[in-house]
Amino acid sequence: MRTIILAISAAVLAACTTSSVPTSQSAEDFMWCYTKAWNAHDTDTLGREYWQLTDSVETEIARLEATFEQMTAAGYERSTIHEILACAAGDDMAVAHMRYTRYLSSGEVMGPEMRATNYLLDWEDERGWRIRGVFPADVDAPPACDLTLLPEKEA
């Protein structure tokens, strides 16, 4: 079964390529590709290509596998993305605002009808964008990039 899921994931993600330039558009494209890997439950690709909250790819993959174990045990199947707004901030950082709905395998909505999350992205010349932080966002506020999430630059 895992082989089938990985084959499907590879086909879906084949259209996603890493940009060579850190722009708002490349950050938005990165997030759309991330959601394809997320919906495929492809923890290997998510850990290697998208997330970097821990000190290693192996730790990241293990963290993501635990997350998906919990979510699928609760019936989670997929998310529908309604909107992504990405804003580059300087040469190597961006903030992405995402609105989405989570669905159970039964087709019913899981939890709130609409959710919103902000992602802090970091650019690495060798690898492109990486998710460095995830923060709740106000689902009732207009979509916006919360630049207050950016770390203070040292003088």
Side-chain angles (χ1 to χ4, degrees):
M1 181 67 165
R2 183 168 168 87
T3 304
I4 293 170
I5 291 171
L6 290 175
I8 292 169
S9 297
V12 168
L13 297 173
C16 292
T17 58
T18 301
S19 175
S20 60
V21 183
T23 64
S24 294
Q25 186 60 55
S26 68
E28 181 178 330
D29 294 344
F30 169 84
M31 292 304 297
W32 282 109
C33 289
Y34 154 73
T35 62
K36 290 178 185 177
W38 181 269
N39 279 335
H41 302 203
D42 185 351
T43 56
D44 291 334
T45 297
L46 288 166
R48 269 192 332 275
E49 304 294 328
Y50 296 96
W51 287 91
Q52 189 158 350
L53 298 179
T54 63
D55 60 345
S56 72
V57 170
E58 294 77 20
T59 304
E60 201 64 61
I61 290 170
R63 183 188 68 76
L64 288 158
E65 286 174 348
T67 297
F68 276 106
E69 272 184 41
Q70 278 186 319
M71 291 178 70
T72 55
Y76 175 78
E77 181 182 65
R78 64 182 168 77
S79 296
T80 296
I81 309 308
H82 303 287
E83 181 173 25
I84 297 174
L85 173 65
C87 303
D91 295 336
D92 62 354
M93 300 197 90
V95 174
H97 175 86
M98 183 187 298
R99 291 177 187 265
Y100 56 97
T101 302
R102 287 185 178 161
Y103 289 93
L104 299 168
S105 55
S106 67
E108 296 174 74
V109 171
M110 180 182 194
E113 179 78 28
M114 184 68 71
R115 297 171 184 246
T117 301
N118 287 317
Y119 295 82
L120 178 61
L121 308 179
D122 190 31
W123 178 265
E124 295 180 7
D125 288 335
E126 309 80 40
R127 302 186 323 151
W129 292 113
R130 291 294 178 270
I131 297 170
R132 297 290 185 151
V134 182
F135 305 91
D138 182 354
V139 73
D140 295 321
C145 291
D146 184 357
L147 299 181
T148 64
L149 298 174
L150 298 171
E152 295 285 328
K153 295 276 185 181
E154 292 183 17

